[in-house]
């Protein structure tokens, strides 16, 4: 990538922008190969192999998106073939040294060949397999068994042991059904039926979840990779600081707005955290935020990117396919809750800034809006085109391709964002690397969905939940939230959403929740693995940048992201998803925001000054009243909350708490 970016210059003494070029670094494909194959002769050779497979994967995806002529089952098979090859080329079997030695190199190459074999088998013999549908041969079952084991191993390497064990448990459940307690018992299925259903049926490995990852999701992953490589991330972060940098707690507010900009087109909380966080977290630390607070703000804000249109997380595309509605319909109902979430995070950082006495950045350290727009206005064009196409009901697949094409053209017309051949290769490798986790997770989740459908487990679990909750919607929602937290210990958010909706979705529907509302509630709750300890992936990524303790950062992120738990309650009890009259929707938004702000102030114990104990208790009561699904409780809660807010602002002046020395060797500057 060229040395100079025509993105806004960072403030004085700020770290380099997250996607600034580093000419002394080897290309990504070389880094991936070296990490697995070492610095010897094998490293460079395998680096070019990784580059070739990544280019082939991207080329194949673009071709199938344009032609739309390949059978959907075969399209998914070939996509997963490329993914499995890359997994075994770049992800060692373990972190220990033995996993990188010659014997395991031979094993991994054999696994690559096996992935090619089990993937090409249904492609080559597709016609024969279709003619004998329902009557698989011994060779079919052998290939299917190997494919399942191969995918479980790939899952262990990419996602972790928890999900591999979970999918194995579902396969065993389908087999031992008659031996289980009556509530969860079923007639049981033979080994042959399970393998056939999983391998040669569109409700297993190659089901709808993988289909979405292999079409819509990959296109937007490629879009995000291209945006990052051309310097678009720097532009959006700089633009955010133009708007918020001078205000109280400016760097943290810039992180929220910048993460909203980036997250709305990246759809990945972790990628957003490490991209924008490399710039925002050091700035937050420098003006007075503690390291764990800076990391928590960035993680919470980045997590919001997965619920903010136009490009939400992979689960949103799966939601649209499962509901059978255009993706733009999901966007329409998602935008109000997403904006409420970011507003709550914004309120949290404002309260924290007042509490710490943190001001904004000095004018000389802020990028100028005119300079920023002049340098990066061309990055807005693909964004506008994407929204316009989606609003006109162009499919996300086509809209994403057109946005990629426009982004490439406008980037090449500007010297600072122009891509070299190496940069283009970097885009393909970055997109391929970022798709590994999504594709493996959705393929494995497809097995779980297939087993749930085959055995009827979803209905059984739904009946059990309703019985245990006594028909209470609130109790059921709490159970769904706990289940999502448990699943989040080992599953990425997309897989957690897929598993949870097939298990808990029927229970919510039986309690009168509309289908799209049930999906959105589960989708929001599934995001908690990014910010909720003991597994908080986005927060742990942020802690690596901030130099803070991962668990402490996770607790901070969990606090700032409280909207992930409260807003789904508002969805369940109010027409927040546009499922009411305009007046009802406006009332739901206004009352909901008052309740969310009251919850934020109660958690922080500060607004314009420290809250007294009675004020804190009153704010908690106001929040609970607003969450209760009655108009009179909403009115009472809003009256109580606004009264306490007025007491805060009309009482004594600001009583900021002196900033404590930051830990982890991070200097704290004087507030501006």
């Amino acid at each position: 990538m060229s040395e100079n970016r025509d993105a806004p210059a960072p403030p004085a003494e700020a770290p380099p922008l997250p996607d600034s070029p580093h000419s002394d670094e080897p290309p990504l494909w070389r880094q991936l190969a070296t990490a697995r194959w070492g610095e010897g002769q094998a490293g460079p050779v395998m680096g070019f192999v990784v580059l070739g497979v990544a280019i082939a994967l991207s080329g194949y995806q673009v071709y199938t998106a344009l032609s739309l002529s390949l059978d959907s089952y075969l399209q998914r098979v070939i996509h997963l073939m490329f993914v499995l090859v890359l997994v075994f080329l770049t992800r060692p079997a373990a972190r220990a040294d033995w996993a990188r030695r010659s014997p395991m190199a031979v094993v991994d190459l054999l696994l690559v060949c096996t992935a090619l074999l089990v993937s090409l088998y249904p492609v080559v013999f597709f016609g024969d397999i279709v003619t004998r549908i329902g009557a698989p041969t011994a060779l079919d079952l052998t290939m299917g068994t190997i494919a399942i084991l191969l995918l479980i191993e790939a899952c262990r390497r990419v996602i972790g042991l928890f999900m591999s064990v979970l999918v194995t448990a579902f396969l065993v459940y389908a087999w031992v059904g008659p031996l289980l307690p009556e509530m969860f018992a079923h007639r049981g299925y033979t080994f042959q039926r399970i393998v056939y259903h999983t391998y040669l049926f569109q409700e297993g490995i190659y089901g709808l979840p993988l289909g979405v990852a292999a079409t819509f999701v990959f296109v937007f992953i490629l879009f995000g990779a291209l945006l990052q490589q051309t310097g678009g991330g720097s532009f959006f972060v700089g633009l955010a600081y133009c708007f918020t940098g001078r205000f109280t707690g400016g760097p943290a507010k810039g992180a929220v707005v910048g993460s909203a900009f980036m997250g709305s087109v990246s759809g990945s909380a972790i990628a957003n955290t490490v991209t924008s966080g490399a710039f925002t977290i050091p700035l937050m630390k420098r003006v007075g935020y503690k390291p764990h607070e800076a990391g928590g703000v960035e993680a919470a804000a980045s997590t919001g990117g997965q619920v903010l249109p136009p490009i939400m997380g992979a689960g949103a595309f799966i939601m649209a396919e499962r509901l059978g509605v255009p993706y733009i319909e999901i966007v329409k109902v998602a935008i109000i809750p997403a904006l409420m979430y970011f507003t709550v995070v914004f309120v949290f950082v404002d309260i924290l800034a007042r509490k710490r006495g943190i001001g904004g950045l000095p004018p000389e350290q802020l990028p100028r809006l005119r300079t920023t727009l002049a340098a990066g206005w061309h990055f807005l064009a693909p964004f506008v085109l994407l929204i316009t196409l989606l609003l006109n009901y162009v499919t996300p697949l086509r809209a994403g391709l057109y946005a990629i094409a426009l982004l490439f053209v406008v980037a090449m017309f500007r010297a600072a964002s122009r891509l070299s051949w190496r940069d283009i290769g970097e885009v393909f490798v970055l997109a391929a690397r970022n798709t590994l986790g999504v594709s493996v997770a959705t393929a494995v989740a497809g097995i779980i969905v297939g087993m749930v459908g085959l055995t009827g487990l979803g209905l059984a679990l739904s009946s059990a939940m309703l019985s245990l909750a006594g028909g209470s919607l609130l109790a059921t929602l709490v159970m769904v939230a706990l289940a999502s937290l448990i699943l989040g210990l080992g599953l990425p958010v997309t897989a957690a959403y897929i598993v949870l909706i097939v298990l808990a979705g029927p229970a919510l529907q039986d309690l009168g929740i509309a289908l799209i509302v049930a999906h959105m509630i589960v989708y929001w709750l599934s995001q908690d693995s990014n910010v909720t300890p003991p597994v908080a992936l986005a927060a742990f990524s942020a802690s690596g940048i901030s130099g803070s303790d991962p668990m402490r950062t996770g607790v901070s992120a969990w606090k700032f992201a409280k909207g992930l738990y409260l807003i789904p309650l508002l969805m369940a009890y109010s027409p927040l998803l546009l499922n009411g009259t305009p007046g009802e929707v406006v009332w739901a938004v206004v009352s909901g925001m008052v309740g969310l702000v009251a919850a934020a102030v109660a958690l922080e114990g500060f607004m314009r000054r420290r809250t007294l104990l009675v004020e804190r208790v009153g704010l908690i009561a106001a929040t609970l009243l607003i969450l209760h699904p009655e108009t009179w409780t909403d009115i009472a809660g809003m009256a109580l909350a606004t009264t306490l807010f007025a007491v805060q602002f009309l009482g004594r002046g600001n009583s900021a708490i002196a900033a404590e020395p930051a830990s982890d060797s991070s200097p704290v500057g004087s507030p501006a």
Side-chain angles (χ1 to χ4, degrees), residues 152 162-174 444 447-448:
I152 291 175
F162 181 93
M163 191 166 186
S164 296
V165 172
L166 182 66
V167 70
T168 303
F170 274 90
L171 291 168
V172 172
Y173 172 78
V444 171
I447 297 178
I448 296 175

Side-chain angles (χ1 to χ4, degrees), residues 239-554:
L239 197 62
Y241 276 92
C242 289
F243 293 137
T244 64
R246 64 177 59 87
F247 299 112
T248 301
K253 292 176 178 176
V256 175
V257 177
S259 294
F261 285 154
M262 282 295 296
S264 67
V265 292
S266 73
S268 170
I270 298 172
N272 195 12
T273 299
V274 298
T275 301
S276 58
F279 182 50
T280 59
I281 290 174
L283 277 175
M284 284 189 273
K285 289 169 59 179
R286 195 159 55 105
V287 298
Y289 287 94
K290 298 178 183 178
H292 67 275
E293 293 170 341
V297 167
E298 180 58 48
S302 294
T303 297
Q306 296 204 163
V307 298
L308 180 65
I311 304 174
M312 300 161 68
F317 293 99
I318 295 173
M319 187 192 307
E321 290 297 299
R322 289 185 64 90
L323 293 173
V325 300
Y327 177 70
I328 189 61
E329 298 301 323
I330 304 298
V331 168
K332 289 177 181 177
V333 301
I335 192 163
I336 289 177
L339 293 177
M340 291 175 69
Y341 173 85
F342 276 102
T343 302
V344 173
V345 179
F346 201 87
V347 168
F348 263 114
V349 300
D350 182 78
I351 292 172
L352 193 59
R354 295 176 186 277
K355 189 176 181 181
R356 297 267 182 268
I358 300 171
L361 289 171
E364 63 273 12
Q365 294 188 11
L366 288 171
R368 296 181 180 276
L369 180 60
R370 180 180 298 178
T371 305
T372 303
L373 288 175
W377 63 267
H378 57 296
F379 291 118
L380 297 173
F383 189 76
V384 172
L385 175 66
L386 180 63
I387 295 175
T388 302
L389 292 175
L390 290 175
L391 289 174
N392 284 279
Y393 290 90
V394 176
T395 65
L397 191 61
R398 290 283 182 174
L401 287 174
Y402 294 146
I404 289 172
L406 181 58
L407 175 57
F408 180 79
V409 170
V410 297
M412 296 301 282
F413 270 104
R414 300 292 296 270
S417 57
R418 190 170 298 145
L419 300 176
S420 66
W421 286 110
R422 168 179 159 164
D423 295 329
I424 294 173
E426 200 88 343
V427 169
F428 291 142
V429 177
L430 184 60
R433 185 197 66 181
N434 291 347
T435 201
L436 295 185
V438 176
S439 294
V440 170
T442 51
V444 171
I447 297 178
I448 296 175
V449 172
M451 293 303 99
V452 170
L454 189 65
T455 61
L457 176 61
L459 295 176
L461 188 63
S462 174
S463 175
M465 290 180 65
L466 289 174
S467 176
L468 191 61
S472 166
L473 176 58
L474 178 60
T476 304
L477 289 171
V478 172
M479 292 177 64
V480 173
L482 290 174
S484 128
L485 180 60
I486 294 170
L487 287 175
L489 295 175
L491 272 64
V493 292
T494 302
Y497 158 70
I498 295 169
V499 173
L500 199 57
I501 193 61
V502 299
L503 295 177
L508 293 175
Q509 286 183 260
D510 289 344
L511 290 170
I513 298 295
L515 186 58
I516 191 170
V517 177
H519 274 262
M520 196 64 73
I521 288 172
V522 171
Y523 180 71
W524 269 67
L525 292 174
S526 299
Q527 309 299 321
D528 62 357
S529 65
N530 281 316
V531 291
T532 306
V535 176
L537 300 179
F540 291 172
S541 299
S543 72
I545 301 172
S546 66
S548 58
D549 176 76
M551 294 304 295
R552 198 175 183 193
T553 305

